[in-house]
Amino acid sequence: MNQVADILKLAIKAKQQGIDAVLATVVRTEGSAYRRAGAMMLICEDGRSVGMISGGCLEPHIIKRAFWLTRNGANVQVYQTGDDIQYADDGQAQAGARETKSDIYDELDSDLDDADFDELNFGLGCNGRVHVLFERLTTATPLLETIRNVRRTQQPITVATLIRANDYQYQDSISQNSDNFRTGMRINLDEYRSLGSVSALGKTALSSILANTVEELAEYKLSEKNAKYVTVENDKVTTEWLVQRLQPQLRLLICGAGNDVMPLVTMAKLQDWHVTVVDSRAQYATRMRFPQADVVMSLSLDDSEALLKLSNNAAVALMSHSLSQDRARLAILLEHPDTYKYLGQLGPRYRTERLINEISINLSNPTMLEAGIHKLYYPIGYKLGGDGPEALALGIMAEINAVMHNQDAPVNGSYNNVSSIPAVSNDTDANIVQSGV
């Protein structure tokens, strides 16, 4: 479950109410892990919390320990989920194996004794290790503001987060430049690539000691994954980083405001997508009908500029149950296949082919639609079984997720990649889906 929106909302409320909070962020995983690097959880001192960094097994422990762990500043803890916990004669689990000081990333606070380290083996049998960064809200605010800005501008940002500076031979050098080697500090790598300057989120330019390290970090290119664990050895100091591409929300544009759209909006919002619902019929496109959607608007059929703007980098679902609406939207979108990431059309296959025929007959060069037709999924959604709007929404979300994340379909789904434009026909079909919601 992606709860970034909830974390951002709670962080604002906590700040307004003068309540302190701790942000827990997964910065590295080894072996099996439920959440990927970048997953977050926010814990308030009044007991409220949102987000998940595991499948629910680590959260109770983290909620209890978050403020104690951050009493001296940000630090990283390592949680094991192996199956090597020993049991006493009474059947009670014995204390998990403690990590050594070198495994708990607190080099800047070397006075801590063994009592300050958690017993971190949870014995869940998952055989993984999860590295979690803990930081107070004051320290984490620049990151949360950056995420909020990414969501607002729809422009991704690459950020490097310092996990560890672990060359003990040069601790004097590190302590003298503690601001440059502060656990949890973050560098905007895109800013460095464009301006050539080194700065941390929420701070002014740092000293030159990090210049070579940041230069090497800036060379890393993230491909399919949006996060990568990176170790940099630079002269006297070895540092460990999470290089992360902060991505904007996935966007879903639904053209049509019928009742079957409602569960689709709900499922998309559960994944923290940005959802826009449009319809040319103002009586259907209302905030009262779609309170969860980010944008609900009446959009005329001839407003091609607005439609293309809303569909930019989005998944588009055409499901108005209206031939005239679908024809008008489809005509525009098929001519601009590079605008959107996914396009799906509701209704039986022959209905969509009829729409394509009717659109083609008005074009002097029908082949200009080929690229769009090859990108069109119809009937929309995977055939997962079940009946009703909820089952339809589940199939649609499954297909869109697969397409947006470049995954192969696990089951036979909708058709796409049509080899050629269907022949133009003036025939009408008595069984065609009629207009209406």
Side-chain angles (χ1 to χ4, degrees), residues 311 313-316 330 333-334 336-345 356 369-378 399 403-404 414-418:
S311 64
N313 291 323
V316 183
L330 191 60
L333 294 168
L334 288 180
H336 299 85
D338 294 334
T339 302
Y340 44 85
K341 293 184 177 180
Y342 168 94
L343 177 62
Q345 174 67 64
I356 295 174
L369 300 180
E370 282 189 355
I373 295 173
H374 278 269
K375 200 170 181 178
L376 176 64
Y377 289 79
Y378 64 98
E399 182 175 77
V403 173
M404 300 284 268
S414 57
Y415 296 90
N416 75 322
N417 297 327
V418 180

PDB file of all heavy atoms in Angstrom, residues 311 313-316 330 333-334 336-345 356 369-378 399 403-404 414-418:
ATOM      1  N   SER A 311      -4.116  14.130 -20.443  1.00  0.00           N
ATOM      2  CA  SER A 311      -3.641  12.777 -20.725  1.00  0.00           C
ATOM      3  C   SER A 311      -2.124  12.679 -20.778  1.00  0.00           C
ATOM      4  O   SER A 311      -1.587  11.582 -20.931  1.00  0.00           O
ATOM      5  CB  SER A 311      -4.226  12.271 -22.050  1.00  0.00           C
ATOM      6  OG  SER A 311      -3.766  13.065 -23.135  1.00  0.00           O
ATOM      7  N   ASN A 313       1.379  11.847 -20.139  1.00  0.00           N
ATOM      8  CA  ASN A 313       2.058  10.864 -19.280  1.00  0.00           C
ATOM      9  C   ASN A 313       1.104  10.093 -18.377  1.00  0.00           C
ATOM     10  O   ASN A 313       1.514   9.574 -17.342  1.00  0.00           O
ATOM     11  CB  ASN A 313       3.137  11.536 -18.419  1.00  0.00           C
ATOM     12  CG  ASN A 313       4.307  12.013 -19.241  1.00  0.00           C
ATOM     13  OD1 ASN A 313       4.710  11.364 -20.208  1.00  0.00           O
ATOM     14  ND2 ASN A 313       4.864  13.151 -18.872  1.00  0.00           N
ATOM     15  N   ALA A 314      -0.147  10.040 -18.749  1.00  0.00           N
ATOM     16  CA  ALA A 314      -1.154   9.387 -17.917  1.00  0.00           C
ATOM     17  C   ALA A 314      -1.634   8.093 -18.549  1.00  0.00           C
ATOM     18  O   ALA A 314      -1.351   7.795 -19.715  1.00  0.00           O
ATOM     19  CB  ALA A 314      -2.341  10.330 -17.704  1.00  0.00           C
ATOM     20  N   ALA A 315      -2.342   7.311 -17.751  1.00  0.00           N
ATOM     21  CA  ALA A 315      -3.131   6.198 -18.272  1.00  0.00           C
ATOM     22  C   ALA A 315      -4.525   6.738 -18.522  1.00  0.00           C
ATOM     23  O   ALA A 315      -5.087   7.434 -17.676  1.00  0.00           O
ATOM     24  CB  ALA A 315      -3.167   5.053 -17.268  1.00  0.00           C
ATOM     25  N   VAL A 316      -5.085   6.437 -19.693  1.00  0.00           N
ATOM     26  CA  VAL A 316      -6.386   6.974 -20.066  1.00  0.00           C
ATOM     27  C   VAL A 316      -7.363   5.828 -20.249  1.00  0.00           C
ATOM     28  O   VAL A 316      -7.097   4.876 -20.996  1.00  0.00           O
ATOM     29  CB  VAL A 316      -6.312   7.802 -21.364  1.00  0.00           C
ATOM     30  CG1 VAL A 316      -7.674   8.417 -21.680  1.00  0.00           C
ATOM     31  CG2 VAL A 316      -5.247   8.883 -21.251  1.00  0.00           C
ATOM     32  N   LEU A 330     -11.626   9.323 -28.557  1.00  0.00           N
ATOM     33  CA  LEU A 330     -10.730   8.370 -29.216  1.00  0.00           C
ATOM     34  C   LEU A 330     -10.091   8.973 -30.458  1.00  0.00           C
ATOM     35  O   LEU A 330      -8.909   8.740 -30.732  1.00  0.00           O
ATOM     36  CB  LEU A 330     -11.514   7.103 -29.572  1.00  0.00           C
ATOM     37  CG  LEU A 330     -10.690   5.880 -30.028  1.00  0.00           C
ATOM     38  CD1 LEU A 330      -9.713   5.457 -28.940  1.00  0.00           C
ATOM     39  CD2 LEU A 330     -11.629   4.728 -30.391  1.00  0.00           C
ATOM     40  N   LEU A 333      -7.187  11.121 -29.274  1.00  0.00           N
ATOM     41  CA  LEU A 333      -6.100  10.386 -28.636  1.00  0.00           C
ATOM     42  C   LEU A 333      -5.363   9.470 -29.604  1.00  0.00           C
ATOM     43  O   LEU A 333      -4.136   9.311 -29.499  1.00  0.00           O
ATOM     44  CB  LEU A 333      -6.649   9.581 -27.456  1.00  0.00           C
ATOM     45  CG  LEU A 333      -7.184  10.431 -26.298  1.00  0.00           C
ATOM     46  CD1 LEU A 333      -7.962   9.567 -25.305  1.00  0.00           C
ATOM     47  CD2 LEU A 333      -6.031  11.156 -25.591  1.00  0.00           C
ATOM     48  N   LEU A 334      -6.067   8.871 -30.566  1.00  0.00           N
ATOM     49  CA  LEU A 334      -5.391   7.997 -31.533  1.00  0.00           C
ATOM     50  C   LEU A 334      -4.411   8.776 -32.412  1.00  0.00           C
ATOM     51  O   LEU A 334      -3.425   8.213 -32.898  1.00  0.00           O
ATOM     52  CB  LEU A 334      -6.424   7.280 -32.405  1.00  0.00           C
ATOM     53  CG  LEU A 334      -7.242   6.172 -31.738  1.00  0.00           C
ATOM     54  CD1 LEU A 334      -8.215   5.555 -32.736  1.00  0.00           C
ATOM     55  CD2 LEU A 334      -6.328   5.104 -31.148  1.00  0.00           C
ATOM     56  N   HIS A 336      -2.552  11.149 -31.298  1.00  0.00           N
ATOM     57  CA  HIS A 336      -1.454  11.639 -30.459  1.00  0.00           C
ATOM     58  C   HIS A 336      -0.983  10.526 -29.511  1.00  0.00           C
ATOM     59  O   HIS A 336      -1.063  10.673 -28.294  1.00  0.00           O
ATOM     60  CB  HIS A 336      -1.880  12.872 -29.664  1.00  0.00           C
ATOM     61  CG  HIS A 336      -2.290  14.032 -30.528  1.00  0.00           C
ATOM     62  ND1 HIS A 336      -3.558  14.154 -31.029  1.00  0.00           N
ATOM     63  CD2 HIS A 336      -1.592  15.111 -30.973  1.00  0.00           C
ATOM     64  CE1 HIS A 336      -3.637  15.273 -31.754  1.00  0.00           C
ATOM     65  NE2 HIS A 336      -2.460  15.863 -31.736  1.00  0.00           N
ATOM     66  N   PRO A 337      -0.486   9.414 -30.035  1.00  0.00           N
ATOM     67  CA  PRO A 337      -0.131   8.269 -29.187  1.00  0.00           C
ATOM     68  C   PRO A 337       1.063   8.505 -28.279  1.00  0.00           C
ATOM     69  O   PRO A 337       1.248   7.771 -27.309  1.00  0.00           O
ATOM     70  CB  PRO A 337       0.176   7.164 -30.208  1.00  0.00           C
ATOM     71  CG  PRO A 337       0.595   7.905 -31.444  1.00  0.00           C
ATOM     72  CD  PRO A 337      -0.253   9.140 -31.465  1.00  0.00           C
ATOM     73  N   ASP A 338       1.867   9.499 -28.578  1.00  0.00           N
ATOM     74  CA  ASP A 338       3.048   9.771 -27.746  1.00  0.00           C
ATOM     75  C   ASP A 338       2.694  10.556 -26.485  1.00  0.00           C
ATOM     76  O   ASP A 338       3.549  10.753 -25.616  1.00  0.00           O
ATOM     77  CB  ASP A 338       4.101  10.541 -28.536  1.00  0.00           C
ATOM     78  CG  ASP A 338       4.680   9.722 -29.679  1.00  0.00           C
ATOM     79  OD1 ASP A 338       4.656   8.479 -29.556  1.00  0.00           O
ATOM     80  OD2 ASP A 338       5.117  10.309 -30.688  1.00  0.00           O
ATOM     81  N   THR A 339       1.463  11.008 -26.390  1.00  0.00           N
ATOM     82  CA  THR A 339       1.065  11.835 -25.255  1.00  0.00           C
ATOM     83  C   THR A 339       0.889  11.010 -23.993  1.00  0.00           C
ATOM     84  O   THR A 339       1.388  11.369 -22.925  1.00  0.00           O
ATOM     85  CB  THR A 339      -0.244  12.573 -25.568  1.00  0.00           C
ATOM     86  OG1 THR A 339      -0.067  13.367 -26.741  1.00  0.00           O
ATOM     87  CG2 THR A 339      -0.642  13.478 -24.396  1.00  0.00           C
ATOM     88  N   TYR A 340       0.212   9.891 -24.078  1.00  0.00           N
ATOM     89  CA  TYR A 340      -0.171   9.092 -22.916  1.00  0.00           C
ATOM     90  C   TYR A 340       0.672   7.815 -22.835  1.00  0.00           C
ATOM     91  O   TYR A 340       1.331   7.409 -23.798  1.00  0.00           O
ATOM     92  CB  TYR A 340      -1.657   8.733 -22.989  1.00  0.00           C
ATOM     93  CG  TYR A 340      -2.092   8.276 -24.365  1.00  0.00           C
ATOM     94  CD1 TYR A 340      -1.955   6.949 -24.780  1.00  0.00           C
ATOM     95  CD2 TYR A 340      -2.627   9.191 -25.282  1.00  0.00           C
ATOM     96  CE1 TYR A 340      -2.324   6.548 -26.042  1.00  0.00           C
ATOM     97  CE2 TYR A 340      -2.993   8.791 -26.555  1.00  0.00           C
ATOM     98  CZ  TYR A 340      -2.842   7.476 -26.932  1.00  0.00           C
ATOM     99  OH  TYR A 340      -3.197   7.083 -28.185  1.00  0.00           O
ATOM    100  N   LYS A 341       0.598   7.150 -21.674  1.00  0.00           N
ATOM    101  CA  LYS A 341       1.338   5.901 -21.470  1.00  0.00           C
ATOM    102  C   LYS A 341       0.463   4.667 -21.676  1.00  0.00           C
ATOM    103  O   LYS A 341       0.980   3.565 -21.884  1.00  0.00           O
ATOM    104  CB  LYS A 341       1.927   5.877 -20.059  1.00  0.00           C
ATOM    105  CG  LYS A 341       3.010   6.929 -19.832  1.00  0.00           C
ATOM    106  CD  LYS A 341       3.616   6.797 -18.454  1.00  0.00           C
ATOM    107  CE  LYS A 341       4.743   7.797 -18.260  1.00  0.00           C
ATOM    108  NZ  LYS A 341       5.354   7.678 -16.905  1.00  0.00           N
ATOM    109  N   TYR A 342      -0.829   4.856 -21.569  1.00  0.00           N
ATOM    110  CA  TYR A 342      -1.769   3.740 -21.735  1.00  0.00           C
ATOM    111  C   TYR A 342      -3.086   4.307 -22.226  1.00  0.00           C
ATOM    112  O   TYR A 342      -3.517   5.388 -21.804  1.00  0.00           O
ATOM    113  CB  TYR A 342      -1.971   3.011 -20.395  1.00  0.00           C
ATOM    114  CG  TYR A 342      -3.133   2.031 -20.380  1.00  0.00           C
ATOM    115  CD1 TYR A 342      -2.943   0.689 -20.660  1.00  0.00           C
ATOM    116  CD2 TYR A 342      -4.423   2.478 -20.080  1.00  0.00           C
ATOM    117  CE1 TYR A 342      -4.013  -0.203 -20.658  1.00  0.00           C
ATOM    118  CE2 TYR A 342      -5.501   1.590 -20.084  1.00  0.00           C
ATOM    119  CZ  TYR A 342      -5.294   0.258 -20.371  1.00  0.00           C
ATOM    120  OH  TYR A 342      -6.342  -0.615 -20.369  1.00  0.00           O
ATOM    121  N   LEU A 343      -3.751   3.548 -23.116  1.00  0.00           N
ATOM    122  CA  LEU A 343      -5.069   3.939 -23.586  1.00  0.00           C
ATOM    123  C   LEU A 343      -5.933   2.689 -23.666  1.00  0.00           C
ATOM    124  O   LEU A 343      -5.573   1.718 -24.342  1.00  0.00           O
ATOM    125  CB  LEU A 343      -4.990   4.604 -24.965  1.00  0.00           C
ATOM    126  CG  LEU A 343      -6.325   5.004 -25.612  1.00  0.00           C
ATOM    127  CD1 LEU A 343      -7.046   6.038 -24.744  1.00  0.00           C
ATOM    128  CD2 LEU A 343      -6.101   5.550 -27.018  1.00  0.00           C
ATOM    129  N   GLY A 344      -7.052   2.698 -22.953  1.00  0.00           N
ATOM    130  CA  GLY A 344      -7.960   1.561 -22.967  1.00  0.00           C
ATOM    131  C   GLY A 344      -9.370   2.001 -23.279  1.00  0.00           C
ATOM    132  O   GLY A 344      -9.810   3.077 -22.850  1.00  0.00           O
ATOM    133  N   GLN A 345     -10.084   1.171 -24.033  1.00  0.00           N
ATOM    134  CA  GLN A 345     -11.457   1.480 -24.427  1.00  0.00           C
ATOM    135  C   GLN A 345     -12.411   0.428 -23.880  1.00  0.00           C
ATOM    136  O   GLN A 345     -12.252  -0.770 -24.094  1.00  0.00           O
ATOM    137  CB  GLN A 345     -11.574   1.535 -25.950  1.00  0.00           C
ATOM    138  CG  GLN A 345     -12.985   1.701 -26.482  1.00  0.00           C
ATOM    139  CD  GLN A 345     -13.597   3.053 -26.131  1.00  0.00           C
ATOM    140  OE1 GLN A 345     -13.108   4.094 -26.571  1.00  0.00           O
ATOM    141  NE2 GLN A 345     -14.666   3.048 -25.334  1.00  0.00           N
ATOM    142  N   ILE A 356     -13.385   3.019 -34.536  1.00  0.00           N
ATOM    143  CA  ILE A 356     -12.193   3.284 -35.352  1.00  0.00           C
ATOM    144  C   ILE A 356     -12.580   3.479 -36.812  1.00  0.00           C
ATOM    145  O   ILE A 356     -12.059   4.376 -37.496  1.00  0.00           O
ATOM    146  CB  ILE A 356     -11.183   2.137 -35.198  1.00  0.00           C
ATOM    147  CG1 ILE A 356     -10.654   2.085 -33.764  1.00  0.00           C
ATOM    148  CG2 ILE A 356     -10.024   2.308 -36.179  1.00  0.00           C
ATOM    149  CD1 ILE A 356      -9.760   0.903 -33.474  1.00  0.00           C
ATOM    150  N   LEU A 369      -3.568   6.794 -37.966  1.00  0.00           N
ATOM    151  CA  LEU A 369      -4.072   6.281 -36.694  1.00  0.00           C
ATOM    152  C   LEU A 369      -3.360   4.998 -36.252  1.00  0.00           C
ATOM    153  O   LEU A 369      -3.592   4.511 -35.142  1.00  0.00           O
ATOM    154  CB  LEU A 369      -5.572   5.985 -36.797  1.00  0.00           C
ATOM    155  CG  LEU A 369      -6.504   7.143 -37.145  1.00  0.00           C
ATOM    156  CD1 LEU A 369      -7.942   6.645 -37.191  1.00  0.00           C
ATOM    157  CD2 LEU A 369      -6.353   8.286 -36.157  1.00  0.00           C
ATOM    158  N   GLU A 370      -2.522   4.446 -37.113  1.00  0.00           N
ATOM    159  CA  GLU A 370      -1.954   3.126 -36.838  1.00  0.00           C
ATOM    160  C   GLU A 370      -1.195   3.078 -35.518  1.00  0.00           C
ATOM    161  O   GLU A 370      -1.343   2.134 -34.734  1.00  0.00           O
ATOM    162  CB  GLU A 370      -1.046   2.688 -37.984  1.00  0.00           C
ATOM    163  CG  GLU A 370      -1.805   2.170 -39.184  1.00  0.00           C
ATOM    164  CD  GLU A 370      -0.887   1.552 -40.215  1.00  0.00           C
ATOM    165  OE1 GLU A 370       0.352   1.626 -40.026  1.00  0.00           O
ATOM    166  OE2 GLU A 370      -1.397   1.004 -41.206  1.00  0.00           O
ATOM    167  N   ALA A 371      -0.345   4.075 -35.255  1.00  0.00           N
ATOM    168  CA  ALA A 371       0.443   4.065 -34.019  1.00  0.00           C
ATOM    169  C   ALA A 371      -0.456   4.084 -32.794  1.00  0.00           C
ATOM    170  O   ALA A 371      -0.205   3.387 -31.802  1.00  0.00           O
ATOM    171  CB  ALA A 371       1.403   5.261 -34.004  1.00  0.00           C
ATOM    172  N   GLY A 372      -1.533   4.869 -32.877  1.00  0.00           N
ATOM    173  CA  GLY A 372      -2.464   4.922 -31.759  1.00  0.00           C
ATOM    174  C   GLY A 372      -3.219   3.621 -31.580  1.00  0.00           C
ATOM    175  O   GLY A 372      -3.448   3.173 -30.451  1.00  0.00           O
ATOM    176  N   ILE A 373      -3.613   2.990 -32.689  1.00  0.00           N
ATOM    177  CA  ILE A 373      -4.338   1.719 -32.604  1.00  0.00           C
ATOM    178  C   ILE A 373      -3.453   0.632 -32.003  1.00  0.00           C
ATOM    179  O   ILE A 373      -3.915  -0.183 -31.199  1.00  0.00           O
ATOM    180  CB  ILE A 373      -4.843   1.302 -33.999  1.00  0.00           C
ATOM    181  CG1 ILE A 373      -5.888   2.308 -34.492  1.00  0.00           C
ATOM    182  CG2 ILE A 373      -5.424  -0.102 -33.957  1.00  0.00           C
ATOM    183  CD1 ILE A 373      -6.324   2.077 -35.923  1.00  0.00           C
ATOM    184  N   HIS A 374      -2.188   0.627 -32.339  1.00  0.00           N
ATOM    185  CA  HIS A 374      -1.264  -0.355 -31.785  1.00  0.00           C
ATOM    186  C   HIS A 374      -1.066  -0.148 -30.286  1.00  0.00           C
ATOM    187  O   HIS A 374      -0.668  -1.067 -29.581  1.00  0.00           O
ATOM    188  CB  HIS A 374       0.091  -0.275 -32.503  1.00  0.00           C
ATOM    189  CG  HIS A 374       0.111  -1.018 -33.800  1.00  0.00           C
ATOM    190  ND1 HIS A 374       0.478  -2.339 -33.896  1.00  0.00           N
ATOM    191  CD2 HIS A 374      -0.220  -0.628 -35.053  1.00  0.00           C
ATOM    192  CE1 HIS A 374       0.392  -2.730 -35.158  1.00  0.00           C
ATOM    193  NE2 HIS A 374      -0.030  -1.710 -35.880  1.00  0.00           N
ATOM    194  N   LYS A 375      -1.358   1.040 -29.805  1.00  0.00           N
ATOM    195  CA  LYS A 375      -1.195   1.331 -28.384  1.00  0.00           C
ATOM    196  C   LYS A 375      -2.510   1.182 -27.624  1.00  0.00           C
ATOM    197  O   LYS A 375      -2.548   1.296 -26.395  1.00  0.00           O
ATOM    198  CB  LYS A 375      -0.655   2.761 -28.221  1.00  0.00           C
ATOM    199  CG  LYS A 375      -0.005   3.048 -26.878  1.00  0.00           C
ATOM    200  CD  LYS A 375       0.704   4.395 -26.905  1.00  0.00           C
ATOM    201  CE  LYS A 375       1.384   4.680 -25.567  1.00  0.00           C
ATOM    202  NZ  LYS A 375       2.132   5.969 -25.589  1.00  0.00           N
ATOM    203  N   LEU A 376      -3.597   0.910 -28.339  1.00  0.00           N
ATOM    204  CA  LEU A 376      -4.924   0.850 -27.736  1.00  0.00           C
ATOM    205  C   LEU A 376      -5.224  -0.553 -27.205  1.00  0.00           C
ATOM    206  O   LEU A 376      -5.020  -1.550 -27.900  1.00  0.00           O
ATOM    207  CB  LEU A 376      -5.971   1.241 -28.778  1.00  0.00           C
ATOM    208  CG  LEU A 376      -7.435   1.150 -28.363  1.00  0.00           C
ATOM    209  CD1 LEU A 376      -7.742   2.130 -27.232  1.00  0.00           C
ATOM    210  CD2 LEU A 376      -8.345   1.422 -29.571  1.00  0.00           C
ATOM    211  N   TYR A 377      -5.727  -0.615 -25.973  1.00  0.00           N
ATOM    212  CA  TYR A 377      -6.137  -1.876 -25.347  1.00  0.00           C
ATOM    213  C   TYR A 377      -7.658  -1.933 -25.342  1.00  0.00           C
ATOM    214  O   TYR A 377      -8.313  -1.058 -24.768  1.00  0.00           O
ATOM    215  CB  TYR A 377      -5.602  -1.978 -23.921  1.00  0.00           C
ATOM    216  CG  TYR A 377      -4.100  -2.190 -23.859  1.00  0.00           C
ATOM    217  CD1 TYR A 377      -3.231  -1.124 -24.045  1.00  0.00           C
ATOM    218  CD2 TYR A 377      -3.569  -3.453 -23.623  1.00  0.00           C
ATOM    219  CE1 TYR A 377      -1.858  -1.308 -24.003  1.00  0.00           C
ATOM    220  CE2 TYR A 377      -2.195  -3.652 -23.570  1.00  0.00           C
ATOM    221  CZ  TYR A 377      -1.344  -2.580 -23.761  1.00  0.00           C
ATOM    222  OH  TYR A 377       0.016  -2.771 -23.727  1.00  0.00           O
ATOM    223  N   TYR A 378      -8.191  -2.970 -25.996  1.00  0.00           N
ATOM    224  CA  TYR A 378      -9.642  -3.114 -26.031  1.00  0.00           C
ATOM    225  C   TYR A 378     -10.026  -4.572 -26.239  1.00  0.00           C
ATOM    226  O   TYR A 378      -9.346  -5.275 -26.972  1.00  0.00           O
ATOM    227  CB  TYR A 378     -10.262  -2.233 -27.115  1.00  0.00           C
ATOM    228  CG  TYR A 378      -9.881  -2.575 -28.545  1.00  0.00           C
ATOM    229  CD1 TYR A 378     -10.731  -3.365 -29.341  1.00  0.00           C
ATOM    230  CD2 TYR A 378      -8.711  -2.102 -29.105  1.00  0.00           C
ATOM    231  CE1 TYR A 378     -10.413  -3.666 -30.651  1.00  0.00           C
ATOM    232  CE2 TYR A 378      -8.380  -2.397 -30.410  1.00  0.00           C
ATOM    233  CZ  TYR A 378      -9.224  -3.178 -31.183  1.00  0.00           C
ATOM    234  OH  TYR A 378      -8.902  -3.473 -32.490  1.00  0.00           O
ATOM    235  N   GLU A 399      -4.346  -4.371 -15.536  1.00  0.00           N
ATOM    236  CA  GLU A 399      -3.767  -4.161 -16.868  1.00  0.00           C
ATOM    237  C   GLU A 399      -2.949  -2.872 -16.916  1.00  0.00           C
ATOM    238  O   GLU A 399      -1.829  -2.855 -17.451  1.00  0.00           O
ATOM    239  CB  GLU A 399      -4.865  -4.116 -17.922  1.00  0.00           C
ATOM    240  CG  GLU A 399      -4.334  -3.945 -19.342  1.00  0.00           C
ATOM    241  CD  GLU A 399      -5.446  -4.035 -20.369  1.00  0.00           C
ATOM    242  OE1 GLU A 399      -6.200  -3.043 -20.520  1.00  0.00           O
ATOM    243  OE2 GLU A 399      -5.566  -5.088 -21.021  1.00  0.00           O
ATOM    244  N   VAL A 403       1.085  -2.501 -17.760  1.00  0.00           N
ATOM    245  CA  VAL A 403       1.591  -1.687 -18.867  1.00  0.00           C
ATOM    246  C   VAL A 403       2.517  -0.590 -18.362  1.00  0.00           C
ATOM    247  O   VAL A 403       3.607  -0.363 -18.902  1.00  0.00           O
ATOM    248  CB  VAL A 403       0.424  -1.086 -19.668  1.00  0.00           C
ATOM    249  CG1 VAL A 403       0.943  -0.093 -20.707  1.00  0.00           C
ATOM    250  CG2 VAL A 403      -0.386  -2.182 -20.343  1.00  0.00           C
ATOM    251  N   MET A 404       2.105   0.098 -17.295  1.00  0.00           N
ATOM    252  CA  MET A 404       2.896   1.218 -16.764  1.00  0.00           C
ATOM    253  C   MET A 404       4.233   0.747 -16.198  1.00  0.00           C
ATOM    254  O   MET A 404       5.204   1.501 -16.174  1.00  0.00           O
ATOM    255  CB  MET A 404       2.105   1.956 -15.686  1.00  0.00           C
ATOM    256  CG  MET A 404       0.791   2.544 -16.156  1.00  0.00           C
ATOM    257  SD  MET A 404       0.973   4.046 -17.137  1.00  0.00           S
ATOM    258  CE  MET A 404       0.847   5.305 -15.881  1.00  0.00           C
ATOM    259  N   SER A 414      -6.930  -8.042 -22.617  1.00  0.00           N
ATOM    260  CA  SER A 414      -7.576  -7.370 -23.730  1.00  0.00           C
ATOM    261  C   SER A 414      -6.699  -7.415 -24.964  1.00  0.00           C
ATOM    262  O   SER A 414      -5.522  -7.741 -24.906  1.00  0.00           O
ATOM    263  CB  SER A 414      -7.867  -5.923 -23.333  1.00  0.00           C
ATOM    264  OG  SER A 414      -6.679  -5.279 -22.947  1.00  0.00           O
ATOM    265  N   TYR A 415      -7.268  -7.095 -26.084  1.00  0.00           N
ATOM    266  CA  TYR A 415      -6.548  -7.111 -27.338  1.00  0.00           C
ATOM    267  C   TYR A 415      -5.898  -5.753 -27.571  1.00  0.00           C
ATOM    268  O   TYR A 415      -6.428  -4.711 -27.233  1.00  0.00           O
ATOM    269  CB  TYR A 415      -7.508  -7.398 -28.497  1.00  0.00           C
ATOM    270  CG  TYR A 415      -8.151  -8.747 -28.438  1.00  0.00           C
ATOM    271  CD1 TYR A 415      -9.365  -8.924 -27.783  1.00  0.00           C
ATOM    272  CD2 TYR A 415      -7.561  -9.852 -29.036  1.00  0.00           C
ATOM    273  CE1 TYR A 415      -9.975 -10.170 -27.725  1.00  0.00           C
ATOM    274  CE2 TYR A 415      -8.157 -11.098 -28.990  1.00  0.00           C
ATOM    275  CZ  TYR A 415      -9.363 -11.250 -28.337  1.00  0.00           C
ATOM    276  OH  TYR A 415      -9.958 -12.475 -28.274  1.00  0.00           O
ATOM    277  N   ASN A 416      -4.748  -5.797 -28.193  1.00  0.00           N
ATOM    278  CA  ASN A 416      -4.144  -4.564 -28.687  1.00  0.00           C
ATOM    279  C   ASN A 416      -3.182  -4.943 -29.794  1.00  0.00           C
ATOM    280  O   ASN A 416      -3.160  -6.084 -30.249  1.00  0.00           O
ATOM    281  CB  ASN A 416      -3.441  -3.785 -27.579  1.00  0.00           C
ATOM    282  CG  ASN A 416      -2.120  -4.405 -27.175  1.00  0.00           C
ATOM    283  OD1 ASN A 416      -1.995  -5.617 -27.125  1.00  0.00           O
ATOM    284  ND2 ASN A 416      -1.157  -3.583 -26.877  1.00  0.00           N
ATOM    285  N   ASN A 417      -2.399  -3.990 -30.257  1.00  0.00           N
ATOM    286  CA  ASN A 417      -1.469  -4.230 -31.351  1.00  0.00           C
ATOM    287  C   ASN A 417      -2.181  -4.787 -32.585  1.00  0.00           C
ATOM    288  O   ASN A 417      -1.799  -5.812 -33.151  1.00  0.00           O
ATOM    289  CB  ASN A 417      -0.348  -5.179 -30.925  1.00  0.00           C
ATOM    290  CG  ASN A 417       0.493  -4.586 -29.823  1.00  0.00           C
ATOM    291  OD1 ASN A 417       0.678  -3.374 -29.776  1.00  0.00           O
ATOM    292  ND2 ASN A 417       0.983  -5.424 -28.934  1.00  0.00           N
ATOM    293  N   VAL A 418      -3.242  -4.113 -32.997  1.00  0.00           N
ATOM    294  CA  VAL A 418      -3.974  -4.517 -34.181  1.00  0.00           C
ATOM    295  C   VAL A 418      -3.065  -4.382 -35.396  1.00  0.00           C
ATOM    296  O   VAL A 418      -2.350  -3.396 -35.554  1.00  0.00           O
ATOM    297  CB  VAL A 418      -5.232  -3.638 -34.352  1.00  0.00           C
ATOM    298  CG1 VAL A 418      -6.018  -4.049 -35.577  1.00  0.00           C
ATOM    299  CG2 VAL A 418      -6.105  -3.746 -33.105  1.00  0.00           C
TER     300      VAL A 418
END
